[in-house]
Amino acid sequence: MKSLSEREQRLQKILELERALDGIQDIDVLLERILTEARAIVCADAGSIYEVDGKKLRIKYAQNDTHLKKLAPGEKLPYTSFSFPINKKSIAGYVAYSGKPLNIKDAYKIPSDKPYSYNEGLDIATGYRTKSIYTLPLKMSSGKLLGVMQLINAQGASGKTISFSKEAELYINHFAISVCQTLQNSYQTNLMIHRMLKMTEFRDPKETYPHVSRVAEVSLEIYDRWAYNHNVPEEESRRFRDCLKIAARFHDIGKVGIPDAVLKSPERFASNDESRNILKGHTCIGAQIFEDSSSFLDIMCRDVALHHHERWDGGKEGYPGKIDYHTYKIGDPIKQMEPLKGEEIPLAARIISVADVFDALSHMRSYKKPWSFDDAFAEIEKEAGAHFDPEIVQAFQQVKTRVRAIQTAYPDESDAPSA
C-alpha cells in the first residue's frame, strides 16, 4: 500500500483536528487551541489571536516558543491586554479591514507604498526578532468576522526562520475553513451565556460581566497551574478547563431566583440574619437550573453553583453543605446542614471559591471599599487550609503576576483606585 505523502498527512491531520476541536464549547478555549494547532501545522515559532471588539481588535492570546523556553517549567508568558483600531495602518487591522490574508516575508522590509507597517518597538521591548508573518481573518460559517490570527516566524528544517510558503498558506487556509462551523457553534454558545449573565446582572448589579470574566480567567489560570503541579494528562486537562471557564461564569446564576426584598436589601450582608440565610439559597437555585445533568459541563456547572461557598475545613460559615437541593423552595432560608469539607467539595468549586472571594475583596462593593491587590492576596494566603484548599492556594500564588494582569484587563466601570 502506497504511503501518504507529507502533504496528504498534513491535510489528514487537519481533518482530525477539526473533529477534536468540535468538542470544545468555550469560545476562548477554542481560540487558544486553534492558535496552538495552526502554529504546529506550519511550524511557526510564535503567534497571536485578536478578537473583534466593536471597531477595534483586542489581543486574546499570544504564544512564543522562543520566550517560553526561557521560563521555568510550568510558567506562562506574561498575560497581555491591548487593543487597536480596525484600519489599514497595522497588519492585523488591515487583514480585519480587508478580509484578506497577508503573507509578509520580512516585517522590517515592508514596502513603503503599503498602507500598513510593523511596529519594531514591540521586538525591541521583548528582545525578539519578528521576520515572517502570515495573518488571516477568522470567520464563522455565516461570514461574520470573529477575529484575526497571526502566525510568526515559520521554522525550517534547520531551525532557521523562513518565509511562509504557498503550501503553508494552503494548509492554514484549509484549517481556517475547516473550523468555521466549530467557531460558529462556540460563538453562539458564548452569546447565550452572555445573555444569561446579563439577566443575572439586571437582578444583582454586583454580578457584572467584568466580575464573572475575571473569576473565569483567574479560575483557568489556577487550574492550569494546579494541573501542571499534579501532572494531569493533557486530554483530561483540556476537557476540564473548557468546562471550567463556562462553569465559573455561572457560579452565582442562582441569584436570579432570590426575591428583590432580600437581594437588594442593605441588610443582606448581616451575619446570621434571616435575609442572609435566604440569600444562601442562591446555591440551591443555581443547582436546580442545572439539575437532570447528563453532560460533564452541566454537572460541573451544577456542582460549582451549589458548592462554591463551602469551606475546606468544614467550618460552619460554609454553605449549603450536604443538602438535598432538589427540595429547596425559593424564599426558604438555608438551615445549618452537615458540612462538606476537604475533597468532598468538587475541584471546580474549590478553584472558583478562591477566584470569587479574591475578586470580591479586591473590588468595590456596596458594603465595602476595595482592598488593595496585595492585601486581598494575603487574605487568600492566610485562609489556606481553613477556608480554601491549600493546594489551590499554592497554585494561586504561583500565578500571581497573571492574576494582576487579569485585574487590569477586565476593570469595573466603577472601580476605585486601590494601592
Side-chain angles (χ1 to χ4, degrees), residues 281-295:
H282 79 274
T283 56
C284 293
I285 297 169
Q288 288 176 358
I289 290 173
F290 293 102
E291 68 180 339
D292 298 325
S293 304
S294 56
S295 71

Side-chain angles (χ1 to χ4, degrees), residues 306-307 310 318-324 334-335 337-340:
L306 185 61
H307 293 304
E310 309 285 1
Y319 64 89
K322 297 179 180 179
I323 192 171
D324 182 2
I334 293 291
K335 299 177 181 179
M337 307 294 292
E338 182 183 350
L340 261 67

Side-chain angles (χ1 to χ4, degrees), residues 120-134:
E120 297 178 21
L122 298 173
D123 283 359
I124 294 171
T126 60
Y128 189 73
R129 170 60 162 101
T130 298
K131 192 172 183 181
S132 57
I133 306 176
Y134 188 70

Side-chain angles (χ1 to χ4, degrees), residues 156-381:
S158 63
K160 292 185 177 180
T161 298
I162 60 174
S163 300
F164 288 95
S165 66
K166 291 293 183 182
E167 199 165 36
E169 289 186 35
L170 170 69
Y171 296 142
I172 291 303
N173 288 324
H174 186 83
F175 177 61
I177 292 171
S178 71
V179 299
C180 275
Q181 188 58 52
T182 302
L183 279 169
Q184 177 88 28
N185 295 340
S186 288
Y187 178 81
Q188 292 300 329
T189 298
N190 188 67
L191 192 60
M192 186 59 66
I193 291 170
H194 194 111
R195 288 167 177 163
M196 291 179 70
L197 293 175
K198 197 69 180 175
M199 179 175 63
T200 310
E201 186 177 345
F202 287 150
R203 294 293 328 286
D204 185 359
K206 181 181 75 69
E207 295 304 315
T208 63
Y209 200 73
H211 165 67
V212 295
S213 296
R214 289 190 301 266
V215 171
E217 293 285 344
V218 171
S219 295
L220 199 63
E221 294 297 334
I222 293 172
Y223 174 72
D224 283 347
R225 187 67 203 205
W226 181 92
Y228 174 82
N229 294 344
H230 288 79
N231 298 309
V232 176
E234 185 175 3
E235 282 305 311
E236 180 182 338
S237 174
R238 283 175 175 170
R239 180 179 182 230
F240 192 96
R241 72 197 303 271
D242 177 30
C243 295
L244 180 68
K245 193 79 176 285
I246 296 174
R249 294 188 180 109
F250 285 137
H251 67 280
D252 272 339
I253 190 68
K255 287 184 178 178
V256 298
I258 298 298
D260 280 352
V262 172
L263 192 64
K264 299 178 180 180
S265 168
E267 299 177 353
R268 62 181 265 194
F269 302 103
S271 60
N272 298 320
D273 70 346
E274 186 80 355
S275 292
R276 179 163 175 75
N277 288 332
I278 292 173
L279 180 64
K280 290 178 180 180
H282 79 274
T283 56
C284 293
I285 297 169
Q288 288 176 358
I289 290 173
F290 293 102
E291 68 180 339
D292 298 325
S293 304
S294 56
S295 71
F296 185 69
L297 173 61
D298 284 345
I299 291 170
M300 185 182 289
C301 288
R302 179 200 65 198
D303 288 348
V304 164
L306 185 61
H307 293 304
H308 68 282
H309 285 293
E310 309 285 1
R311 286 180 60 96
W312 173 259
D313 62 4
K316 64 180 182 179
E317 296 88 355
Y319 64 89
K322 297 179 180 179
I323 192 171
D324 182 2
Y325 70 87
H326 298 91
T327 62
Y328 176 80
K329 294 181 180 179
I330 291 178
D332 285 352
I334 293 291
K335 299 177 181 179
Q336 190 70 43
M337 307 294 292
E338 182 183 350
L340 261 67
K341 61 181 179 180
E343 293 186 0
E344 291 179 327
I345 307 166
L347 174 62
R350 304 198 311 263
I351 292 171
I352 291 166
S353 175
V354 169
D356 185 37
V357 171
F358 172 79
D359 199 73
L361 290 174
S362 57
H363 288 82
M364 176 73 78
R365 293 291 182 264
S366 60
Y367 55 93
K368 71 166 192 67
K369 293 181 178 180
W371 292 26
S372 72
F373 179 90
D374 289 334
D375 285 348
F377 213 92
E379 180 66 16
I380 299 296
E381 292 175 320

Side-chain angles (χ1 to χ4, degrees), residues 35-53:
L35 177 60
T36 299
E37 300 298 350
R39 288 179 50 234
I41 289 169
V42 293
C43 301
D45 181 59
S48 301
I49 290 269
Y50 303 92
E51 68 174 352
V52 174
D53 183 12

